[in-house]
Amino acid sequence: MAKNGNAALGFIFITLLIDVTGLGIIIPVLPTLIKQLIHGNLSTAAEYGGWLTLAYALTQFIFAPVLGNLSDKYGRRPVLLFSLLGFGIDYLFLAFAPSIWWLFVGRIIAGITGASFTTATAYIADISTPEKKAQNFGIVGAAFGLGFILGPVIGGLLGQYGARIPFFAAAGFSFINLIYGYFVLPESLSKQNRRNFDIKRANPLGSLLHLKKYPAISGLVLTLMLMYVANNAIQSTWAYYGMEKFKWSEAWVGYSLGFVGLMVGSVQGGLIRWVIPKFGAEKTLYIGLLLSSLGLLLFAFAGNGALMFAFIVPYTLGGIAGPAIQSIMSSFAPANEQGELQGAFASLMSATTIFAPPVMTNLFAYFTQNGAPIYFPGAPFLLSSVLVLVGVWLARRSLRLHPVAKI
């Protein structure tokens, strides 16, 4: 795999691109579909959106470390294909849903099988040299960014023909991805680097506790957790915020997220390859967190939709923090534990997603409902900005106690 590293990165990039495009397609129309199914307003739909995310996150929290450990035993490829099949089934459930409860069933299926990003990051760790690891992790962000250029724009345009049409398109993308992966994607984990499956290490709490083996990782976990919580303000409330405050249509939600994707793709696919070699992973982490905090603060007080597009720039530039912290943390784990480590990260992300989306969407609902003490739909962004600043302090303290070699 070392000799074919560039080709393998290309394979995983295409796989993730198709996966994220399918996910992005449904975002602009999900608020409208929820409103139709509950016969309610946008504030109530936002609350249901938070609980749907919780259903997905809770099941992923339980099953992500299982799939991560299985990928350490059987390889990345079969686990990734299983995940793609689950997403396709999920989108079909959402497309045919006659009631809100069908949406919950579909999200639970996706949570059980949803290990595409976990497995992809382990895949990249398998084929990356230490000095290229941070740059190669940027491939995940680049695929995420480009997928979010294509997906939301496609979803916003298709949503004009019906709230369910984009879900069929997303299912189609997932099944195309499954076929592509089956015939094209090679295995990345050599047999000598595989290990036996251990159920004690495959439960979510055991997976997180396993991080104690690496003191620096344990210290940075809190920073990573706050990054995940803050990102949920964008993922959970962006569409609701734009529709409520700026009266965006599904198409404009798609355009705005498409611009987010364009910026993320530029940062992760290009800028990250220059920033980390120049400043090192640690300084890159601090710069990225500060830019992210600034962007979230500006979102909270944006006066019009045009300013939201302008403020996307500093927020997405903050995306350099993700590959930097992943590179630092993964450098402490051996090759045959990368799948477990990435599974633990996914469990951590899912754990934050269990409580963060309901907090963010209910915060949005509280400050936009009739009778609110103050009308402030940007409240989730303000809270997230503060949390990221706390993350800067925690990261600084942790890396002072456990310095790492320059990456």
Side-chain angles (χ1 to χ4, degrees), residues 23-106:
L23 176 64
I25 283 174
I26 72 171
I27 292 177
V29 294
L30 189 58
T32 301
L33 180 60
I34 295 174
K35 282 173 60 180
Q36 291 176 359
L37 293 175
I38 65 172
H39 308 289
N41 59 26
L42 197 61
S43 293
T44 307
E47 294 181 47
Y48 273 96
W51 297 121
L52 280 167
T53 306
L54 183 149
Y56 170 78
L58 182 60
T59 48
Q60 190 177 61
F61 175 70
I62 296 170
F63 287 94
V66 174
L67 294 178
N69 276 264
L70 286 173
S71 78
D72 282 339
K73 177 175 175 60
Y74 297 107
R76 317 303 184 199
R77 184 175 178 271
V79 173
L80 185 58
L81 296 180
F82 177 68
S83 175
L84 296 176
L85 176 63
F87 274 120
I89 295 172
D90 165 46
Y91 294 139
L92 289 179
F93 264 88
L94 301 182
F96 288 108
S99 71
I100 189 68
W101 305 113
W102 275 53
L103 300 189
F104 281 94
V105 173

Side-chain angles (χ1 to χ4, degrees), residues 104-175:
F104 281 94
V105 173
R107 292 282 74 194
I108 289 170
I109 292 172
I112 292 172
T113 61
S116 57
F117 276 87
T118 302
T119 311
T121 49
Y123 190 110
I124 291 170
D126 292 337
I127 64 174
S128 300
T129 58
E131 62 272 15
K132 289 289 186 180
K133 191 172 288 184
Q135 296 180 40
N136 289 344
F137 275 132
I139 291 291
V140 178
F144 188 90
L146 184 55
F148 262 76
I149 297 171
L150 300 174
V153 173
I154 294 171
L157 294 174
L158 291 178
Q160 299 178 76
Y161 301 99
R164 297 175 186 268
I165 300 299
F167 295 94
F168 288 107
F173 271 95
S174 291
F175 291 127

